[in-house]
Amino acid sequence: MNIDSIQNGVVLDHIQAGKSMDIYRYLHLDELDCQVAIIKNARSEHMGKKDIIKIDYPLDLDLDVLGYIDSNITVNIIRDGKRVEKKHLELPQKLVNVIHCKNPRCITVAESQLDAIFLLSDPAKHTYRCAYCETAIDKKF
Ligand SMILES: [Zn+2]
């Protein structure tokens, strides 16, 4: 399967080599019935090696989650066999229910109906802090 063979779908390009399975799991791509192609260690002029994921379905991706995992990924939207949009990601300012607080005294642990909200506190280190107790979570990808 190459880009040309996708009629309506999404191609995630410039994934850091070896990270495609993390993204596959985080985006719950295993729950899709459509074709999903994972290309590992593709040659890249800029990156040396990269991973690519091709999804043969016009999936509405959570760009905040993707940006959190790896903000260097480019998202190509394919319609009628042509690339109609190329999106660049950035680190989201806010994450809701993506990561969870590890402070056992945090109110989100006791009150599980609360959304787990994290705010970006240090973009250079990819550090997020819990909006309730300010516990820091370092980038885990
Ligand atoms: Zn917390």
Side-chain angles (χ1 to χ4, degrees), residues 101-103 106-108 118 130-135:
C101 194
K102 53 187 181 183
N103 171 8
C106 180
I107 191 168
T108 59
F118 281 78
C130 176
Y132 303 93
C133 70
E134 301 208 324
T135 295

Side-chain angles (χ1 to χ4, degrees), residues 44-115:
S44 162
E45 276 178 43
H46 302 294
M47 301 168 71
K49 283 192 287 186
K50 65 178 180 179
D51 288 1
I52 303 168
I53 298 179
K54 299 181 180 185
I55 305 160
D56 196 17
Y57 180 78
L59 188 64
D60 197 9
L61 287 171
D62 188 331
L63 297 181
D64 281 352
V65 173
L66 264 185
Y68 169 66
I69 296 171
D70 185 349
S71 56
N72 294 317
I73 294 172
T74 46
V75 179
N76 299 292
I77 309 294
I78 313 295
R79 259 184 225 124
D80 298 324
K82 293 198 183 86
R83 183 169 77 191
V84 293
E85 201 177 347
K86 182 175 184 173
K87 296 181 187 178
H88 291 275
L89 302 174
E90 45 191 54
L91 274 183
Q93 293 297 317
K94 184 176 170 184
L95 290 169
V96 180
N97 294 330
V98 177
I99 46 179
H100 294 278
C101 194
K102 53 187 181 183
N103 171 8
R105 291 188 306 261
C106 180
I107 191 168
T108 59
V109 175
E111 313 228 357
S112 57
Q113 78 278 14
L114 281 176
D115 283 335

Side-chain angles (χ1 to χ4, degrees), residues 9-58:
V10 184
V11 176
L12 305 179
D13 199 358
H14 303 111
I15 299 169
Q16 197 184 318
K19 294 291 179 71
S20 53
M21 286 312 290
D22 291 337
I23 290 163
Y24 183 84
R25 278 189 291 267
Y26 241 75
L27 295 176
H28 303 290
L29 299 181
D30 55 324
E31 292 167 14
L32 295 176
D33 284 331
C34 65
Q35 283 191 75
V36 177
I38 294 176
I39 297 150
K40 291 181 67 173
N41 301 322
R43 264 192 290 274
S44 162
E45 276 178 43
H46 302 294
M47 301 168 71
K49 283 192 287 186
K50 65 178 180 179
D51 288 1
I52 303 168
I53 298 179
K54 299 181 180 185
I55 305 160
D56 196 17
Y57 180 78

